[in-house]
Amino acid sequence: MISDTENLERFIARINETADRAVEAIRRDTEKYVAGELEKAKKQASREIHDSQFTELDKLNEKNNTDIFAAQRRETIRLIEVRRALTDQIFDEARRRIGAFTRTADYAGFLTASARRLADVVGADSVFYLREEDMKYRSDLQPYCREIKIDSELCLGGIRAVSRTKGLSADDTLDARLREQREAFYENSGLSVTL
């Protein structure tokens, strides 16, 4: 049976493959667009050199540089919007799949394994925080902690543990895992865009 971590790693790998293909297509389009605009600007400058004085060429170069900068800025803004939409689409799908997972029988095992790990790290005297929907697993998780409470900020599931006596806390929630994956996606997907 494939572990949840392996499933998540495969899912993130598929997300990164999709993103890499999208980034490559965007890069090619951008390079083609910028090269075309630059070629147009060069041709226009070349024509006007023959028809005007040297000072007119300076004005034209300044105008062309301004136009190229404006075109690059518009394209960059468009790419940022495409990146945001692609990222949102990917992580909306991830959120949907995680929600489906929490409705399966495997989710109880995931929570129990998480509780064991958290008890080892934070201690069995800790307080576990769950989303309200997961309180039905309370009896399975109780042996690993002192108390279980509802965390109304949790949306996806998992456990957050806090030990006040040791001053430790650990977050093994699906919410935190998805946030971390989103950050890793931005860093590793190749979808970076600069203004």
Side-chain angles (χ1 to χ4, degrees), residues 10-127:
R10 287 180 182 170
F11 179 67
I12 295 303
R14 280 189 235 117
I15 287 172
N16 284 334
E17 289 171 10
T18 302
D20 288 344
R21 286 192 299 274
V23 166
E24 190 55 40
I26 290 169
R27 274 203 191 111
R28 284 193 304 271
D29 290 347
T30 301
E31 288 172 2
K32 185 177 177 181
Y33 176 80
V34 170
E37 288 297 312
L38 188 57
E39 189 60 36
K40 286 181 200 173
K42 285 179 181 179
K43 286 179 182 178
Q44 183 180 352
S46 196
R47 283 190 303 269
E48 292 194 23
I49 286 172
H50 296 291
D51 301 327
S52 63
Q53 299 174 0
F54 187 71
T55 56
E56 291 299 316
L57 178 61
D58 290 339
K59 289 179 187 177
L60 180 62
N61 281 334
E62 185 176 326
K63 181 186 180 312
N64 283 337
N65 288 340
T66 302
D67 291 347
I68 289 171
F69 176 76
Q72 288 173 330
R73 183 162 176 81
R74 283 190 306 273
E75 187 62 14
T76 298
I77 290 169
R78 186 187 73 79
L79 287 174
I80 289 171
E81 291 170 2
V82 167
R83 178 189 69 179
R84 181 192 48 77
L86 179 61
T87 302
D88 288 347
Q89 179 184 2
I90 288 167
F91 282 89
D92 286 347
E93 176 63 15
R95 204 170 280 105
R96 186 192 67 72
R97 288 184 183 194
I98 290 169
F101 167 69
T102 62
R103 293 185 295 277
T104 66
D106 292 338
Y107 182 59
F110 169 81
L111 283 177
T112 303
S114 177
R116 273 191 218 108
R117 284 191 306 272
L118 290 170
D120 289 344
V121 173
V122 180
D125 69 330
S126 61
V127 177

Side-chain angles (χ1 to χ4, degrees), residues 155-174:
C155 297
L156 298 174
I159 304 171
R160 187 172 56 87
V162 176
S163 172
R164 300 217 187 277
T165 57
K166 294 181 181 175
L168 297 173
S169 67
D171 192 339
D172 194 25
T173 62
L174 296 171

Side-chain angles (χ1 to χ4, degrees), residues 149-186:
K149 294 183 178 181
I150 294 173
D151 184 343
S152 60
E153 293 183 14
L154 285 177
C155 297
L156 298 174
I159 304 171
R160 187 172 56 87
V162 176
S163 172
R164 300 217 187 277
T165 57
K166 294 181 181 175
L168 297 173
S169 67
D171 192 339
D172 194 25
T173 62
L174 296 171
D175 302 69
R177 289 180 180 201
L178 190 62
R179 275 193 307 274
E180 289 171 9
Q181 288 304 317
R182 190 175 186 116
E183 290 170 18
F185 179 75
Y186 272 126

